[in-house]
Amino acid sequence: GTLEARPVTPTTSKIVYTLFFDNSMLPDDAAREKDKEARRARFTQALQNMKTLAEGGTLPPPPPAK
């Protein structure tokens, strides 16, 4: 994958994250869809965290280890 910060204005940027993945080794369409949605959720949260930090915010503490 690649990560790019594109300037939008003199004080703002847009993060562009491009990811290629292959989950064809999974047994069926349902498993591939479940995998895709789990990855999408993880990456969406990671991008939101990057945005929060780039804007000077802080992240909540991680959940306790199980």
Side-chain angles (χ1 to χ4, degrees):
T2 61
L3 178 68
E4 178 184 2
R6 292 183 186 167
V8 176
T9 71
T11 58
T12 63
S13 297
K14 176 180 180 178
I15 294 175
V16 179
Y17 190 77
T18 304
L19 175 70
F20 296 93
F21 75 101
D22 178 6
N23 65 359
S24 63
M25 77 298 276
L26 296 175
D28 55 37
D29 286 343
R32 285 186 283 279
E33 187 62 28
K34 183 178 177 183
D35 177 64
K36 182 175 80 172
E37 289 307 315
R39 289 176 189 272
R40 183 182 315 234
R42 241 185 343 260
F43 284 112
T44 299
Q45 186 60 57
L47 289 171
Q48 183 59 50
N49 289 349
M50 284 188 261
K51 180 180 186 300
T52 298
L53 294 171
E55 292 174 345
T58 58
L59 300 178
K66 293 181 180 182

